[in-house]
Amino acid sequence: MQADNRQKILIADDERFNLNILVDILKSDYKISVAKNGKQALDRAMSLNPPDLILLDIQMPEMDGYEVCKSLKEDERTKDIPVIFITAMKEEAYEAKGFDIGAVDYITKPFSAPIVRARARAQLKMKWQADMLRQMACIDVLTEIPNRQKFEEIFDREWKRAVREKIPLSVLLVDIDFFKQYNDSYGHGRGDKCLKEVAQALANSIHRPADFVARYGGEEFIAVLPETDMPGAGAVAEIMRSNVELLQIPHARSVSLDYVTVSIGVASVAPGGGFSDAALITVVATADEMLYKAKAGGRNQVQCR
């Protein structure tokens, strides 16, 4: 069955008649979800499959569109989703208030199908372009895996979740053994190819959606494993080490083996003493200590704390 890759629009209106009209206008070109009130709209927007555009009625009971839009723009998960207000109110003051809160456009009732399609299409095109630019900014050009900037973003988010939910979090720091000697022997072209292959082996070693690997800089890589304690993190690190070894990239000047290997340092924090924002910086530092220990111990190994 072919995947539906169309962009997704969330339509929030407490009147079924309005919902039906907008769904009929847009359903042939986009995936549509609906919400009948403000709280439901927020829940849909903050789901694991968020919309690319929200059409939001202003006048809804309990939580009006202004409140919903304000909440969306204040949340890191939803702040970049464009919001178009749908309303029967045409006064300039109402429009100005909406733009001040963060809306990108207005569609007034009664609906004109060509106008609805044109304005939705324009905002979705800009959203797609912005998403592509953000994605490109977070990808390491050489290895085509996430870069350090993206790691810092993910790490900050997962750290806050770990503190909030009192769940363990692990960090893995990976270094290619004797990489300077590899470059000196085989040239930087082969060195770049080696980095790409190692990066893919590391990325292919994780399978859970929340697990994350990035290039940290030079020949170093870093991984974040949410909801993972020390034994679990050590097991993943060993899979990474083994998968790189299995590549069997020749390395005549390696002391540990005749092909490229990696050393990995692992640090884990768990709920309880020291599990606070003050410990955030030390997690990566501890992984770095363990990496140094792995290298001092002969390389091609995993060390954990």
Side-chain angles (χ1 to χ4, degrees):
M1 186 176 178
Q2 191 172 5
D4 188 349
N5 294 318
R6 295 178 299 169
Q7 290 175 289
K8 182 178 178 182
I9 298 176
L10 169 63
I11 305 170
D13 196 311
D14 62 318
E15 294 186 18
R16 170 58 63 179
F17 178 73
N18 293 329
L19 283 175
N20 289 341
I21 292 175
L22 289 170
V23 169
D24 287 342
I25 291 171
L26 297 166
K27 67 181 180 182
S28 62
D29 297 313
Y30 308 103
K31 289 185 288 186
I32 306 296
S33 65
V34 299
K36 299 176 183 178
N37 55 58
K39 185 180 182 307
Q40 199 174 73
L42 282 177
D43 290 341
R44 300 267 198 277
M46 294 178 184
S47 69
L48 293 175
N49 185 25
D52 298 293
L53 172 67
I54 300 174
L55 303 187
L56 183 61
D57 187 26
I58 292 178
Q59 293 179 303
M60 292 186 290
E62 296 181 25
M63 189 178 197
D64 67 24
Y66 293 133
E67 293 175 274
V68 175
C69 187
K70 187 171 183 294
S71 296
L72 290 168
K73 297 306 169 184
E74 289 174 348
D75 194 293
E76 193 67 28
R77 295 168 293 178
T78 54
K79 65 182 180 63
D80 294 320
I81 302 174
V83 174
I84 297 178
F85 277 129
I86 50 179
T87 179
M89 300 184 293
K90 299 180 182 180
E91 291 84 353
E92 288 185 4
Y94 290 116
E95 291 193 13
K97 181 177 179 179
F99 287 130
D100 286 342
I101 293 171
V104 295
D105 205 350
Y106 268 83
I107 298 174
T108 55
K109 303 172 186 178
F111 303 121
S112 163
I115 293 297
V116 171
R117 291 194 195 99
R119 292 189 171 174
R121 184 167 58 248
Q123 294 302 327
L124 286 167
K125 181 179 180 180
M126 286 190 284
K127 173 68 161 53
W128 180 84
Q129 291 171 334
D131 287 347
M132 289 301 101
L133 288 172
R134 276 192 293 270
Q135 185 175 336
M136 288 169 62
C138 293
I139 296 295
D140 178 65
V141 176
L142 175 64
T143 62
E144 299 180 350
I145 67 171
N147 58 19
R148 183 168 181 162
Q149 176 183 328
K150 187 64 176 178
F151 157 73
E152 290 173 352
E153 175 190 324
I154 295 294
F155 183 55
D156 181 64
R157 185 185 73 198
E158 291 298 341
W159 177 269
K160 289 174 180 175
R161 185 166 74 92
V163 172
R164 184 173 63 250
E165 299 180 11
K166 294 183 171 55
I167 53 178
L169 175 75
S170 294
V171 171
L172 282 57
L173 200 54
V174 184
D175 185 80
I176 300 177
D177 297 326
F178 304 107
F179 188 69
K180 182 182 183 300
Q181 291 86 338
Y182 185 91
N183 268 337
D184 291 343
S185 297
Y186 299 98
H188 289 280
R190 288 276 295 275
D192 287 350
K193 186 173 185 292
C194 173
L195 285 168
K196 291 179 185 179
E197 292 179 0
V198 170
Q200 288 308 308
L202 297 176
N204 292 338
S205 300
I206 58 173
H207 303 290
R208 299 183 308 171
D211 292 344
F212 177 84
V213 174
R215 186 181 181 191
Y216 200 52
E219 67 270 27
E220 282 192 334
F221 300 86
I222 196 161
V224 181
L225 307 180
E227 300 184 56
T228 306
D229 58 13
M230 179 63 70
V236 172
E238 182 56 35
I239 291 170
M240 288 181 171
R241 187 205 62 78
S242 176
N243 284 345
V244 172
E245 191 176 293
L246 287 171
L247 293 173
Q248 295 198 355
I249 302 169
H251 189 350
R253 292 184 62 187
S254 173
V255 176
S256 54
L257 287 173
D258 292 332
Y259 38 86
V260 169
T261 59
V262 294
S263 299
I264 305 178
V266 180
S268 295
V269 287
F275 195 67
S276 66
D277 288 345
L280 188 153
I281 298 173
T282 66
V283 180
V284 176
T286 301
D288 194 38
E289 284 180 37
M290 293 300 98
L291 174 59
Y292 179 82
K293 185 176 179 181
K295 288 156 69 171
R299 293 179 166 83
N300 190 29
Q301 61 182 266
V302 175
Q303 290 290 337
C304 305
R305 181 190 293 174

